[in-house]
Every structure is written in C-alpha cells, then in structure tokens.
Amino acid sequence: MRLWLSVEWKKARRRRLWLPVAALVAMQGLWLAWAVRGMDMQEAAQGYLGCLYQLPMMNAIVMPVAAAVLVSRLCDMEHRGDTFKQLFTMQPAYGLFDAKLVLGGAWLLAAVAGQLAAIRLVGAWKGFSDALTMGDVLCYLGGQFLVSLFLALLLQALSLRYKNQFIPLAAGLILGFLGLMSMFFPPAVMRLSPAAYYGLLSNVRMVWDRDTRVVTYFRRPFPWDDLGLLAAAMAALYLWGRRDFVNREV
C-alpha cells in the first residue's frame, strides 16, 4: 500500500488538489466570520456550540460538491491518458482503487481539520466564552470525516466507472441538493440521504424558544446508531465499488 500511495501522490502532486480544500475551508471560515459579526455577549456564551451546529448543516450542501471536484481530479488522469491497461501490468486494480481512496480521504480529513481551525480562529476573534472540549473536537472530526469519506467512495466509484467526469460532478451537485432538502424532514427521512449524515452525526442540537426568540444549543450523546448505519452502507459500497472496478474491462 505504501508503494501505491507513493505512486498516486507523485501522479497527483501537480494537480493542485489542495486548491478545492483550501477554497472550501476559506469560504466556510469567511461565512462563519460573517455569521457571528454581530454576536452579543449572551450569544458568545455558546458560540462554539453554535458553530459546531451550523457547519455540519453547511457541509451537507457544499462538501458533496467539494468531494466530487477532488475525486474527479484524482481519477480523470487515467481516463484522459487511457492508461489503465499499462497501470494494471505494474499494480493490481484493487491497489489503484484503494490508493486513490486513501489519498482522497486524507485531503478530506485535512478539510475537516481546517474547519475546526476556522472555528477556533473565529472563536478567538469574537471571544467565545464557552468551552470547545476534546469531546467536541473528536465528535466533529470523526463524524464529519466519515461522512466525507463515504461520499468520496461513492463518487470515486462513479469517476472510475465513467470516462465522462461530468457524471460524478453532477452526482455531487445532486447529493448537495438532497442534503439541503433533507434538513426539512424528520430523521427517518434524513437517513435516506447520504449528505444528511453530516447533521445526523453532529453531537450538537438546538432549541428555539418561540416566545423569547432565544436559541439554545446543547450537547447530546454521540449517535452511534446512525454511525452504524453509515458504516454498514460504507462497507457494502466499498465491496461493490472495488469489485466493479476490478472486474471492469479496460
């Protein structure tokens, strides 16, 4: 695996894969700064929880598109040069599939870590007085990354199957749209949309008091049942996508 990853890294190092990741983190950081610009002391008392609640909602919309761009740039090299036959004389097909998934996952992990850094910077700027605990960091990092990895796996299977890279890009747009629409439905319906798991795996929830018009954020236990559903779907998708790629004629 180390050799295959090294080869993929060398092939992709001039593809500017950092660009969609940096653009995503910068956009979300600027959006957070804009959203909290008028925050008073009472709102700053739960500022970190508010950010941890809002960013997963935004991820459900924009992360599928960012993942589609990243995966497409990783996978279109072989399509463009029609080099699958040559590559498979030097490495097995499953090695190529796994190496691209690991490399794409590493960039998505960097994106989620960048989001946490943006939350921290915005909190220091506005003087958030609540605590950003290690539990909050781990729940956010683990939950948001696993959903991103699932989407990357789905989009990679499409990117490797179809030479036309518009297909995974269109799928990313559709997944983002479904992620947005799923927010208006109960959890039972949200579980049918992959991007909705950004919100489902968040450990922060919100209550809005209609009379006082005050929003209160609170922590909840991590939703291990939703994580189990996602893990089962990811395992099934990985087995199917890997087998489909290995058995495909090139």
Side-chain angles (χ1 to χ4, degrees):
M1 175 59 77
R2 183 182 301 178
L3 176 61
W4 302 335
L5 280 174
S6 176
V7 171
E8 284 303 313
W9 173 258
K10 289 178 181 178
K11 288 193 295 183
R13 62 184 177 181
R14 298 184 184 277
R15 302 288 291 173
R16 294 185 175 89
L17 298 179
W18 59 269
L19 191 58
V21 174
L24 172 71
V25 174
M27 181 272 291
Q28 291 184 314
L30 291 173
W31 178 83
L32 278 179
W34 176 84
V36 304
R37 70 193 187 285
M39 184 176 285
D40 57 28
M41 293 183 61
Q42 181 179 358
E43 294 171 326
Q46 51 179 355
Y48 283 122
L49 288 182
C51 291
L52 291 174
Y53 175 81
Q54 294 176 42
L55 265 188
M57 305 299 110
M58 175 177 278
N59 281 342
I61 304 171
V62 301
M63 281 294 278
V65 180
V69 173
L70 179 64
V71 167
S72 177
R73 293 188 66 79
L74 270 172
C75 297
D76 73 341
M77 293 180 289
E78 288 78 14
H79 284 301
R80 185 174 299 180
D82 197 17
T83 58
F84 283 114
K85 288 184 179 180
Q86 293 90 332
L87 285 172
F88 292 166
T89 64
M90 297 178 287
Q91 71 177 119
Y94 65 82
L96 182 68
F97 185 91
D98 292 345
K100 287 185 180 294
L101 181 62
V102 171
L103 185 58
W107 280 112
L108 291 172
L109 181 60
V112 177
Q115 293 171 8
L116 283 169
I119 291 174
R120 188 66 179 174
L121 287 173
V122 170
W125 169 56
K126 291 299 295 183
F128 292 167
S129 56
D130 57 338
L132 184 64
T133 67
M134 183 58 67
D136 294 332
V137 171
L138 292 177
C139 286
Y140 186 89
L141 188 66
Q144 303 301 295
F145 167 66
L146 288 174
V147 183
S148 301
L149 186 62
F150 177 83
L151 292 174
L153 176 58
L154 173 60
L155 294 166
Q156 178 176 304
L158 294 174
S159 292
L160 292 174
R161 184 175 180 82
Y162 299 104
K163 189 172 184 178
N164 186 351
Q165 292 302 294
F166 178 76
I167 294 175
L169 293 174
L173 290 171
I174 293 172
L175 287 169
F177 175 75
L178 292 177
L180 170 63
M181 295 301 297
S182 66
M183 301 302 170
F184 299 98
F185 293 93
V189 179
M190 290 177 66
R191 292 185 179 97
L192 302 176
S193 172
Y197 281 82
Y198 283 113
L200 289 170
L201 293 185
S202 172
N203 72 318
V204 179
R205 287 292 180 265
M206 178 265 289
V207 173
W208 180 65
D209 191 309
R210 183 175 299 178
D211 297 328
T212 62
R213 297 183 179 275
V214 173
V215 175
T216 303
Y217 299 99
F218 63 94
R219 296 177 178 88
R220 63 158 186 168
F222 189 78
W224 294 103
D225 52 345
D226 289 325
L227 179 62
L229 286 174
L230 181 67
M234 187 181 301
L237 179 60
Y238 173 75
L239 292 174
W240 171 82
R242 196 171 188 252
R243 181 179 300 175
D244 178 72
F245 181 63
V246 169
N247 295 333
R248 186 168 59 88
E249 292 186 5
V250 294

